[in-house]
Amino acid sequence: MLNHRARLRPSLLAAAVASALCAPVFAQSDTDNELPEVLVTAQRIATPESRTPVAMSVLDGEQLAKLGIDNAAGIGKRLPNVHLDGAADGLRITIRGVSNSDATEKGDPSAAFMQDGIYIARPQAQTLSFLDVDRIEVLRGPQGTLYGRNTTAGVVNVISNAPLARLEGAASLALGSYNARIASGMLNVPATDWLALRAAVALHKHDSYLRNGQGTGFELGQDRDDRAARLSAKVALAPAASLLLRYEHATLDGNIDNIVPDTNFFSGVASGKPVWRDASTAQYLTNSFKPFNTRLEQGYNHKTLRNAGAELAWELGPATLHYLASHRKADHDFRANFYYRALPTLAIGVHEDFQGSQRQDSHELRLSSTGSGALKAQGGLYYFREESHQLYGFRGLQALKQPPYYVFPHGPTIARSRAAFGQLTYSLTPALRATAGARYTSDGKSRVGSTNFQQGPVFNPATDLQVLNNASVQGHKSTWKLGAEVDLAPAAMAYASLATGYKSGGFNDGCLAGSSALGLPCPAAVAVPAGALFYQPETLKSWEAGLKARFWDKRASLNLAVFHYDYTNMQLSGVAIVAGAPRFMTQNAGAASVKGLELDGQVRAGSADRFSYGLTLLDAHYVSYRPNGVLSWAGQPLDRAPRSVLNLGWEHTFRLPGAALLAGVNARRSAAYNISVSNQLLQYRIPARTASDFTLGYRPDGGAWSLLARVKNMENKVQPITIDSFGMAVPSEPRTVDIRLDYRF
């Protein structure tokens, strides 16, 4: 339970903030100062954000450009109860304390990441640079009815700009610290009265944020070298039908060595009780680890992604037919140098070589009602298939009495999901509406592969040992939602909902005794018990109530949500020794409880001043969990779940002769939170922190160009955003500075 002090202190602060922000507003009545209304598709149909009964946040393309947010990892700094972290193995999404750490081909997320409504399964494919974005919608809470499985935490949907029936273009160039070079461009052309084309490109480069204290001269990670391009076409098939086609190609190069030892940030790790170490930012960002057992090598990272999508909208009178299809390909290879803590006081160097490919196809057919009747309905069918092949190779484990090459050839790994869903909203009165929705999902996953103990880079049957990895799971689940919403005033509504969600179960490395595949048997001596090989689906039930209001002549807004989750079989992942070999394992963590409050909004205090505010209170903890089967973590907080976060922002426009100067500052104060490595019984406490950003822009009246200067993380403080089972920590970004020139026509 949130204690009285935790409730009272932020509440008083929120009241003080609200009073300060509201004071100058009474003297204003100009309708030009109204907050703009944003149309969103959180409910799969277009509705005003202020009239959508979902806890959500929206960032539009203009805001993203002003804040310098050019990939998903930057979003969470501006949103309540959201962490989006660029981990070594891809994007890590945590919403309201709910997260996932299995980024392998057999893992599933707790929050769905989508691009233009298309589910992107692999976190390694979610780290792309943003490209000509219209808006980003982040939905907090389970979205199992309309979005399906793996949305227990919520949904992040990046929505691109579509071609328009007018000629327009834009270009930007930015230069900054760490040798940052950022460029982007867009051109929209109405080719005919039935065809519009839109092209967009983006390039982002910067040097490493890390310092090499190893004496090798090698480049380290946390650099960036991304290139992306998209071509879109919108075709008017008929007066009532349109087809939107998109093709996107992106490459990501650079370095995968973006870690430092956890001992950079903590002392006492060997004793099992990490304590935060006070040091300079330069010390935190220096990798000085010199392994005694191997020579370090230059790391690298090459990733290529291709995506083709189609979206059909056909108005059929009382209903609109929507068809959404996508085909995605991803190829990835890298080399990384690991800090591998094998014993509490012993760390060795390990090299990982990886090659992998992933293909996914998805199709959704949906019918939604139109018109102004009392009943609004939508329903549809969904199909998803993913196939991946991977080759993991580890070198340097001889110090642990392992062979020179520890190799995992895996594939195909195949995941399938089929679903049918529907949702109805009925107006009981002009001011009161009720909603009911349900989704039935049938899914399955299978994988064949092996764990190879090799003397050389190529498997030799005469000298090497091969242990089978072979498992499959099938399952089905129904999720549902009940909700109600009521208009309290023309610009205010309240809502409540009861919803369920689930994340599918899966399997770990190993095989059942007596099974066989790839010509390999699974004898009892190397078999894994079913209780360790398989883990169960993660499920939750959510109660939520909220209020959305616009007041003071629609120049101020307030969004309030309170929620309570009951989690069962929460899935946690880490490395464990099973059948004599280290394996990446996912286990069910018993039960968890999540409850909290979210408050955010904006105020336009006249034509020159804009304010934003946000406050979250969160109590997310384990109800029952024994990570080693003995020690209880009941009552311990979930990861990345600070008990309180306060956000304040202010932007002021200074009028100059023939121009405007815009200055803005945003500060975020987060309470302390944990990052846990459950299989090591380690809990790292990340201290409370304040992070501030500053922007200064110049825009001539009626001009096609503008200048913007930015400083991110003015305090220049860093902390680990992930820590894995080996003791490898990925630091957050230090202070960065850049200046950007924009031109539009």
Side-chain angles (χ1 to χ4, degrees), residues 135 230 309 319 408 503 574 616 661:
R135 67 186 185 279
R230 180 192 302 124
F408 295 85
K503 183 169 73 170
T616 65
L661 189 67

Side-chain angles (χ1 to χ4, degrees), residues 230-371:
R230 180 192 302 124
L231 180 62
S232 306
K234 189 167 186 179
V235 184
L237 301 176
S242 64
L243 177 65
L244 176 58
L245 302 172
R246 290 188 176 102
Y247 177 77
E248 186 172 339
H249 186 279
T251 60
L252 292 80
D253 294 319
N255 198 328
I256 199 73
D257 283 338
N258 59 354
I259 60 94
V260 297
D262 56 356
T263 51
N264 276 29
F265 293 96
F266 294 91
S267 60
V269 177
S271 67
K273 296 181 178 180
V275 176
W276 183 260
R277 181 195 299 275
D278 287 325
S280 68
T281 296
Q283 290 172 316
Y284 289 143
L285 295 176
T286 300
N287 188 351
S288 299
F289 174 61
K290 301 176 183 178
F292 69 88
N293 62 309
T294 186
R295 289 186 176 183
L296 295 168
E297 302 175 3
Q298 177 62 63
Y300 62 84
N301 182 38
H302 302 307
K303 192 184 302 181
T304 302
L305 301 105
R306 296 166 294 276
N307 171 45
E311 184 174 353
L312 173 68
W314 188 4
E315 297 179 9
L316 303 174
T320 300
L321 179 69
H322 304 268
Y323 173 64
L324 186 61
S326 174
H327 176 68
R328 302 184 65 91
K329 297 181 180 180
D331 298 296
H332 192 193
D333 69 277
F334 66 77
R335 174 176 295 162
N337 295 282
F338 279 7
Y339 171 88
Y340 189 114
R341 188 166 53 244
L343 298 171
T345 58
L346 175 67
I348 65 173
V350 175
H351 310 289
E352 180 185 4
D353 299 295
F354 174 86
Q355 292 180 333
S357 64
Q358 181 255 355
R359 309 288 184 268
Q360 73 167 66
D361 294 278
S362 63
H363 302 270
E364 182 184 80
L365 188 65
R366 182 170 56 89
L367 198 65
S368 60
S369 63
T370 58

Side-chain angles (χ1 to χ4, degrees), residues 88 210 222 258-266 284 339 684 719-724 726-732:
L210 302 182
Q222 290 210 331
N258 59 354
I259 60 94
V260 297
D262 56 356
T263 51
N264 276 29
F265 293 96
F266 294 91
Y284 289 143
Y339 171 88
Y684 300 87
Q719 79 277 348
I721 56 177
T722 63
I723 305 175
D724 73 0
F726 308 128
M728 294 189 290
V730 176
S732 62

Side-chain angles (χ1 to χ4, degrees), residues 106-109 119 149-152 415-417 441 443-445 473 475-477 501-507 535-539 569 571 586 588:
K106 61 184 178 57
D108 287 302
Y119 172 64
R149 67 187 184 114
N150 304 335
T151 60
T152 51
R416 293 187 179 91
S417 182
T441 302
D443 50 36
K445 185 177 292 185
V473 292
H476 57 87
K477 185 70 176 178
Y502 96 107
K503 183 169 73 170
S504 58
F507 47 78
Y535 54 89
Q536 300 303 308
E538 175 182 288
T539 61
N569 286 330
Q571 298 168 5
T586 296
N588 294 109

Side-chain angles (χ1 to χ4, degrees), residues 711-731:
V711 183
K712 298 182 186 178
N713 185 12
M714 289 192 291
E715 295 82 357
N716 197 29
K717 293 182 179 180
V718 299
Q719 79 277 348
I721 56 177
T722 63
I723 305 175
D724 73 0
S725 300
F726 308 128
M728 294 189 290
V730 176

Side-chain angles (χ1 to χ4, degrees), residues 545-689:
L547 172 69
K548 293 189 175 186
R550 295 193 169 204
F551 48 97
W552 291 320
D553 296 327
K554 297 184 179 181
R555 284 176 277 113
S557 67
L558 181 146
N559 301 312
L560 173 68
V562 292
F563 53 89
H564 176 85
Y565 297 170
D566 282 333
Y567 257 95
T568 304
N569 286 330
M570 178 172 281
Q571 298 168 5
L572 297 180
S573 305
V575 174
I577 303 298
V578 179
R583 305 171 191 262
F584 190 79
M585 303 288 291
T586 296
Q587 298 175 315
N588 294 109
S593 173
V594 178
K595 62 190 72 172
L597 175 148
E598 296 164 349
L599 174 71
D600 68 274
Q602 301 178 58
V603 177
R604 287 201 167 189
S607 59
D609 292 289
R610 306 288 186 268
F611 295 91
S612 63
Y613 64 92
L615 172 70
T616 65
L617 302 176
L618 184 64
D619 177 16
H621 63 270
Y622 297 107
V623 174
S624 62
Y625 178 40
R626 297 182 183 274
N628 64 349
V630 179
L631 179 68
S632 174
W633 274 15
Q636 293 295 317
L638 302 185
D639 284 2
R640 300 174 187 83
R643 295 185 71 88
S644 65
V645 177
L646 176 66
N647 248 320
L648 291 175
W650 173 53
E651 183 180 283
H652 182 80
T653 301
F654 298 90
R655 289 303 312 173
L656 302 176
L661 189 67
L662 292 82
V665 63
N666 187 87
R668 178 186 177 97
R669 175 67 178 179
S670 171
Y673 58 89
N674 281 7
I675 294 179
S676 303
V677 179
S678 57
N679 62 299
Q680 305 286 344
L681 301 181
L682 292 173
Q683 291 183 308
Y684 300 87
R685 190 67 170 170
I686 311 301
R689 178 194 180 201

